[in-house]
Amino acid sequence: MSQLIECVPNFSVGRDPRVVEAIARDIASTPGVRLLDVDPEHDTNRCVMTFFGPPESVVEAATRGALAAARLIDMRVHSGSHPRMGAADVIPFVPWSGSMAMAELCARECASNLERLGLGGWFYGFNDRSAHQCRRGQFEGLSEREDCDFGQPHPTAGATAVGARGVLIAFNVNLRGTLAQARGIARRLRESSGGLPGVRALGWESPSYGCVQVTTNLVDWRGGTSPHELFEAVRAEARQLGTDTAGCELIGMIPIAALEQAGRFYSGAEDRLLQVAVHELGLRSVKPFLVAQKVIEVALEA
């Protein structure tokens, strides 16, 4: 079987549909690539795109997307609730039916392409550095940094973290509480504070949804913390504070096994696991959630 690589770049645009569409078009036009999901967010002013293909095609598509973002996004006037340092902020390569070594090779080839195009940044994931560490100081602090792994920061497009990592689930829990409560819950639950394994978390406001969120990256949902475990932990914390959760939001896509696991936790029948998980987690609370579009294996088989 040929190796299949997933790429999940995050672009610093979520409020201009023309820019989102232009970047997506350049990615989707790459031979051999299947662009499965485009997920822009207004408050973060950020867009997560998910595409699959053989290694060489995925590297080419990621390069095209980064070049389009550099051409169309001016980081000097960018604002949003999510930390960011570049037009193409992060470009992770994920082995789906391949090896981590191949994903790392994709990351290095993509970085080489970006450097040739006048862009620069840092590696993460395979070198024990996180995207958060790469983003230190955000775009405004790039002028003070001289330690790029490849190329140099661009004056308007900023810098990019290019990496290789395992499957990550970006999963936000909506909270009927205050920003201070969301930040406190995030601080207690994140792994770096001694909380849940494999959880990176922040608390922020989501005016578009009329709530605050505990926004998380679940970096090891199989061996660490799964989406339903995170949701139940946030709900328990919230109730101790006299408030409650109000559903969840998935950013990007999710493996089918993660939803099946949640369906079994909530005692769903085997033929209704996905429907039960979507309902119990409240995945349609703030925006549409279609299994055919948001579950990786279902979308790949379509």
Side-chain angles (χ1 to χ4, degrees), residues 242-258:
T243 184
D244 210 338
T245 55
C248 298
E249 177 192 20
L250 177 73
I251 307 299
M253 302 183 75
I254 190 169
I256 192 170

Side-chain angles (χ1 to χ4, degrees), residues 164-248:
R165 58 160 174 79
V167 175
L168 176 152
I169 299 175
F171 188 74
N172 301 341
V173 181
N174 310 319
L175 193 66
R176 293 190 181 101
T178 67
L179 178 58
Q181 289 173 326
R183 287 175 172 169
I185 292 172
R187 183 171 57 252
R188 289 188 292 275
L189 294 185
R190 70 173 69 110
E191 183 178 40
S192 62
S193 298
L196 300 175
V199 173
R200 296 169 184 164
L202 295 170
W204 64 32
E205 291 181 296
S206 296
S208 296
Y209 298 150
C211 64
V212 296
Q213 290 183 317
V214 178
T215 176
T216 72
N217 282 343
L218 306 180
V219 301
D220 182 12
W221 70 271
R222 286 187 181 276
T225 302
S226 64
H228 72 271
E229 290 170 333
L230 184 279
F231 175 64
E232 291 297 327
V234 173
R235 180 152 63 180
E237 291 274 348
R239 288 177 175 175
Q240 286 185 1
L241 296 173
T243 184
D244 210 338
T245 55
C248 298

